[in-house]
């Protein structure tokens, strides 16, 4: 197994305009962990996703979609005592979409450390992918993530931590407390410019380069900073590598998962940091051209269509 990840996958309803006006909605699924899992599977890697869904039709859609995309869901479970979560996406401007979460008490928030341990130990992966969304869901979900970090250390599994701060789910204070504890355990830390502050004590200047240097000193193997339209930068003890974003006509903004999938895909292939950023920015460009999120993630041969070096 190349990658193991777990977290909540919800039903996603994407409206065509303001919710109060009604109208049609597209039905799909959403979740950072499952989005990255789908992106990696499309790029040719073996991925296992563990999570809990309700014993309902929404849960069936989640599992059916992941299976259809080639993601191993053998470790997933059904919770008859809680529903599958729901997220509503409300477009307000071309660059602004309001997100409404209906996840309190959902099946996905009730994932346990026991289920994660079983899924991890069944086939220790090369990479563990964690996000800051999972610990925000509940105490049990946070405990499960802590155990996964422990198991990764015991099995010499590379840890990729995606900060992915969601203000709707928890406060910056709560997130910072967890991220400061977890960050030094990460081989690859992925964050936006503003998310880096959550991983460090106060007092570090508001400069991505300085913050990355502090994180490297704490033990992080590599810091990858997503800068949206400005591209992405990777910092390590070997130095700094930057790649600009690709100029494509963006339709959606849910492209962060594809970026992570592209980066991890190239890492698993043994590529250089520059090549990892190139595949990540190419995958992001494909996903951004789709109104959804994971739906536009590219297949193995597609990044090369964007030009030389995009492999």
């Amino acid at each position: 197994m190349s990658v193991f990840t777990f977290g909540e996958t919800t039903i996603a309803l994407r409206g065509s305009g303001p919710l109060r006006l009604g109208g049609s909605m597209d039905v799909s699924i959403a979740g950072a962990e499952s989005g990255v899992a789908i992106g990696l599977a499309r790029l040719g890697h073996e991925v296992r996703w563990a999570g809990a869904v309700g014993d309902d039709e929404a849960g069936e859609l989640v599992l059916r979609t992941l299976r259809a995309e080639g993601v191993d869901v053998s470790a997933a479970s059904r919770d008859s005592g809680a529903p599958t979560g729901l997220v509503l996406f409300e477009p307000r401007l071309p660059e602004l979409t309001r997100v409404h979460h209906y996840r309190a008490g959902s099946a996905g928030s009730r994932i346990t450390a026991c289920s994660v341990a079983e899924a991890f130990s069944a086939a220790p992966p090369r990479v563990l992918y964690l996000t800051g969304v999972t610990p925000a869901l509940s105490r049990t979900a946070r405990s499960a993530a802590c155990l996964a970090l422990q198991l990764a250390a015991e099995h010499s599994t590379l840890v990729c931590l995606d900060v992915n701060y969601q203000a709707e789910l928890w406060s910056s204070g709560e997130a910072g407390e967890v991220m400061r504890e977890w960050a030094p355990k990460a081989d690859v830390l992925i964050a936006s410019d503003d998310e880096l502050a959550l991983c460090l004590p106060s007092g570090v200047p508001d400069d991505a380069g300085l913050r990355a240097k502090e994180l490297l000193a704490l033990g992080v193997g590599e810091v990858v900073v997503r800068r949206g339209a400005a591209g992405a930068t990777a910092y390590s003890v070997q130095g700094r590598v930057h790649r600009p974003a690709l100029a494509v006509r963006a339709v959606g903004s849910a492209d962060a998962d594809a970026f992570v999938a592209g980066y991890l895909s190239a890492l698993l292939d043994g590529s250089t940091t520059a090549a990892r950023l190139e595949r990540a920015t190419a995958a992001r460009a494909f996903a951004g051209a789709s109104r959804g999120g994971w739906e536009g993630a590219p297949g193995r041969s597609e990044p090369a269509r964007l030009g030389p070096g995009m492999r």
Side-chain angles (χ1 to χ4, degrees):
M1 187 60 60
S2 295
V3 180
F4 171 62
T5 188
F6 66 95
E8 182 175 31
T9 298
T10 69
I11 290 299
L13 298 182
R14 301 182 185 277
S16 56
L19 290 175
R20 67 182 63 187
L21 300 181
S24 61
M25 305 193 86
D26 293 331
V27 183
S28 185
I29 68 170
E33 297 83 5
S34 53
V36 169
I38 289 172
L40 282 165
R42 288 190 180 181
L43 290 168
H45 302 280
E46 294 182 337
V47 191
R48 171 175 290 154
W49 173 85
V53 297
D55 190 11
D56 48 30
E57 287 299 296
E60 186 59 40
L61 174 60
V62 169
L63 297 179
R64 180 177 181 274
T65 302
L66 291 173
R67 284 194 205 99
E69 290 292 335
V71 176
D72 180 350
V73 295
S74 60
S77 62
R78 291 181 178 275
D79 187 337
S80 60
T84 302
L86 170 67
V87 178
L88 299 179
F89 296 87
E90 180 186 17
R92 300 300 293 127
L93 294 171
E95 301 82 14
L96 175 63
T97 297
R98 287 199 295 217
V99 183
H100 307 272
H101 296 267
Y102 299 89
R103 304 166 74 164
S106 67
S109 69
R110 303 193 338 168
I111 189 170
T112 65
C114 179
S115 61
V116 168
E118 292 176 0
F120 193 105
S121 301
R126 291 175 60 189
V127 176
L128 168 67
Y129 173 66
L130 286 178
T131 79
V133 176
T134 300
L137 297 175
S138 67
R139 290 186 179 276
T140 56
R142 191 176 307 181
S143 296
C146 288
L147 178 59
L149 285 170
Q150 178 185 324
L151 292 171
E154 294 174 359
H155 290 86
S156 299
T157 293
L158 183 146
V159 174
C160 176
L161 175 61
D162 184 353
V163 176
N164 202 336
Y165 173 60
Q166 302 287 328
E168 301 88 350
L169 299 178
W170 58 347
S171 69
S172 59
E174 292 175 300
E177 183 178 346
V178 173
M179 291 300 109
R180 286 191 295 273
E181 177 186 348
W182 288 10
K185 303 175 183 179
D187 297 284
V188 178
L189 177 73
I190 299 179
S192 60
D193 276 314
D194 55 336
E195 289 173 338
L196 290 176
L198 296 173
C199 305
L200 291 164
S202 59
V204 180
D206 185 9
D207 178 271
L210 293 176
R211 286 175 172 172
K213 184 177 180 180
E214 289 290 328
L215 287 166
L216 294 173
L218 289 173
V220 179
E222 187 174 39
V223 179
V224 181
V225 183
R226 292 184 294 231
R227 294 195 161 104
T233 307
Y235 300 87
S236 69
V237 293
Q238 284 76 38
R240 171 185 180 275
V241 179
H242 178 79
R243 287 294 180 270
L246 296 175
V248 297
R249 181 178 297 175
V251 175
S253 58
D255 48 23
D257 300 344
F259 176 93
V260 175
Y263 196 87
L264 289 180
S265 170
L267 184 152
L268 288 164
D269 288 347
S271 301
T272 64
T273 301
R276 296 175 203 169
L277 288 175
E278 286 164 1
R279 190 176 297 178
T281 53
R284 176 183 180 270
F286 273 98
S290 170
R291 184 167 175 263
W294 58 267
E295 290 89 341
R300 184 73 178 186
S301 64
E302 289 185 293
R305 297 176 182 271
L306 297 178
M310 296 300 170
R311 55 189 185 278

